[in-house]
Amino acid sequence: MSQKPPPGAIRIVAGEWRGRKLAVPPGDAVRPTGERQRKALFDILGHGSYARGGVSMLVGARVLDAFAGTGALGLEALSRGAASCLFLDKAAASRAVCTANVASLGANARARVLAADACDPGAAPVAPFAPCNLVLLDAPYRSGFAATALAAFAARGWLAANAVCVVELAVDENAALPDGFTLDAERVYGQTKFLLARYASS
């Protein structure tokens, strides 16, 4: 597992809010995705097969940041042009930090912080926040929650057809994708592994 940065040490990597700091709660309950890993991931999402007509898929995207913690992944997406982001976390302390980070960036109009369990999220919110075409899922390492959460989101209408789903794992961890999801790529950066998958809705 990557080393947890000290409070206030993580920043938005690129886009509208490049360099802006994000609050990180004390303790070990929240493990924000590191700046190097976020840069690598969002560089992939902004180019190559994920770009549309040479334009980053992040532009105009409806994003779901599950197990949101500080909200670093979803806020990075908003900084790079996403239209909206739903931040989902069942822990009150995490939601408080995420809400504060959203407010500090002036992102309230484009964001909703929801109290829900990603493995049992209930019905999807209404438009314009859903259905989501980009899912950023950073479950606790080695928890096994990723496949359960993806299946739940698909079943309850959170995902758009052909949604891109990113699962963050420990480098030595594996996760089987549920039915309806196809693996596009696997990338490793230090102690972090990303699975990039597509959701093929009927």
Side-chain angles (χ1 to χ4, degrees):
M1 184 180 297
S2 58
Q3 184 177 1
K4 179 183 172 64
I10 66 169
R11 300 172 184 267
I12 298 293
V13 175
E16 178 184 357
W17 303 316
R18 179 181 179 180
R20 294 284 297 275
K21 289 185 178 181
L22 300 177
V24 179
D28 297 323
V30 175
R31 171 195 42 77
T33 303
E35 292 177 25
R36 185 169 72 89
Q37 288 86 352
R38 271 185 285 127
K39 181 181 186 306
L41 171 62
F42 282 94
D43 283 350
I44 292 172
L45 294 174
H47 302 90
S49 62
Y50 294 104
R52 298 164 300 187
V55 178
S56 167
M57 72 157 292
L58 296 164
V59 176
R62 296 182 304 275
V63 181
L64 171 60
D65 184 352
F67 305 96
T70 64
L73 289 174
L75 290 168
E76 190 75 47
L78 289 175
S79 181
R80 295 171 185 243
S84 64
C85 185
L86 294 168
F87 297 89
L88 199 69
D89 208 299
K90 67 178 183 179
S94 293
R95 292 196 307 276
V97 172
C98 184
T99 298
N101 284 331
V102 168
S104 74
L105 296 174
N108 297 80
R110 298 159 61 197
R112 295 289 183 274
V113 181
L114 306 178
D117 184 346
C119 293
D120 186 16
V126 298
F129 286 89
C132 300
N133 48 25
L134 175 61
V135 179
L136 305 168
L137 199 159
D138 182 14
Y141 284 179
R142 302 179 182 85
S143 66
F145 293 159
T148 302
L150 286 175
F153 288 133
R156 300 308 299 271
W158 291 70
L159 307 184
N162 205 38
V164 175
C165 303
V166 179
V167 177
E168 180 176 339
L169 304 167
V171 67
D172 57 352
E173 183 180 4
N174 294 306
L177 297 173
D179 291 344
F181 294 83
T182 302
L183 183 66
D184 271 354
E186 179 179 307
R187 297 287 186 270
V188 173
Y189 303 97
Q191 297 303 305
T192 300
K193 178 192 294 184
F194 292 115
L195 304 182
L196 292 95
R198 298 267 187 176
Y199 171 57
S201 171
S202 59

